[in-house]
């Protein structure tokens, strides 16, 4: 018999965007991963609460209302659950995440089969300071106290060394080159929007170094100085070299027309191999390395 997780209670205090809105309309608008029929079923089953009382679908919401709902235990998709500790002190943890394991809960499917949940079984105080896409392997840095988290969060984009290893389709002529394509939201048929190459988006910068060429593919290291969502996948695709096996981003750095692929879909090869930063408490330079999987080695 398949193992179920422990279920989940979602809780939020409503803001001004909820004033005067019917409960069912608010749920469908703000939590569209589920249909109106699914939300009505939950309400009728007594799994949606407003100010701790069973909710009515037609209830009119106000600022400060506490909305919560309970999701019964469910079977999560199977994923690799192992991880390795690359660095540890009283303030920080450097964890090696395998490809396929989500960093955080999300997508309506993952709660306990996540890196966050697995790490907290051993370090209950740990909080991730950044995230990797589900299909990306490598280093995720966790804070073990609020002091470390606060300092790192303030300085994360200043002087941090972040190098990724990737297998790309196509062989660049240059041994090294820069990509500066802006990244921002674009429409997507399966989601309201998705991050992609967008001339009206935010500034983004990646530096690419070719390590080896393998016929119609190349192995590259990519150093990023900005941290936009899916930056490396988007930038390499925008430059004409999509990640080999990427089901989402094609040439141009945008999803293929009518594509329903999602950011969490697997298939690409990307690995966070080096993370360097000034320690938030001691100020000492820390550099964590993580050996890439075999297909991403020269």
């Amino acid at each position: 018999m398949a193992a179920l997780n422990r279920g989940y209670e979602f809780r939020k205090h409503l803001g001004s965007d909820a004033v005067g809105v019917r409960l069912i309309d608010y749920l469908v608008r703000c939590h569209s991963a589920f249909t109106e029929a699914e939300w009505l079923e939950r309400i009728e089953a007594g799994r949606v609460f407003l100010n701790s009382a069973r909710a009515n679908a037609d209830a009119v919401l106000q600022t400060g209302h506490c909305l919560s709902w309970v999701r019964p235990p469910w079977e999560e998709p199977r994923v690799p659950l192992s991880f390795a500790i690359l660095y540890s002190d009283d303030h920080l943890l450097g964890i090696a995440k395998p490809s396929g394991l989500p960093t955080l809960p999300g997508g309506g499917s993952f709660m306990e089969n996540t890196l966050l949940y697995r790490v907290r079984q051993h370090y209950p105080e740990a909080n991730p300071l950044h995230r990797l896409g589900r299909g990306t392997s490598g280093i995720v840095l966790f804070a073990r106290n609020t002091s470390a988290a606060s300092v790192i969060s303030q300085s994360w984009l200043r002087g941090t060394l972040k190098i990724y290893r990737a297998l790309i389709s196509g062989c660049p002529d240059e041994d090294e080159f820069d990509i500066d394509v802006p990244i921002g939201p674009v429409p997507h048929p399966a989601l309201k929007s998705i991050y992609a190459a967008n001339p009206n988006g935010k500034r983004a910068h990646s530096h690419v170094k070719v390590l080896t060429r393998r016929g119609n593919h190349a192995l590259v290291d990519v150093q990023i100085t900005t941290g936009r969502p899916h930056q490396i996948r988007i930038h390499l695709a925008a430059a004409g070299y999509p990640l080999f096996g990427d089901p989402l981003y094609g040439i141009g750095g945008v999803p293929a027309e009518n594509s329903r692929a999602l950011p969490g879909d697997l298939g690409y090869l990307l690995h966070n191999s080096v993370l360097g930063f000034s320690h938030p408490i001691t100020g000492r330079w820390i550099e964590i390395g993580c050996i890439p999987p075999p297909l991403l080695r020269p």
Side-chain angles (χ1 to χ4, degrees), residues 24 63 106 118 217 221 261:
I24 184 62
T63 300
R118 311 310 294 188
H217 306 93
D221 273 349

Side-chain angles (χ1 to χ4, degrees), residues 76 79 81 101-106 110-119:
E76 300 184 32
V79 297
L81 297 176
L101 178 64
T103 304
L104 303 174
F110 296 101
M111 180 59 60
E112 296 179 6
N113 286 356
T114 63
L115 183 65
L116 175 62
Y117 184 88
R118 311 310 294 188
V119 169

Side-chain angles (χ1 to χ4, degrees), residues 215-236:
N216 294 325
H217 306 93
L219 195 65
V220 300
D221 273 349
V222 184
Q223 182 174 348
I224 60 173
T225 58
T226 55
R228 308 301 176 206
H230 314 299
Q231 176 173 322
I232 294 174
R233 297 170 67 186
I234 293 169
H235 265 184
L236 288 168

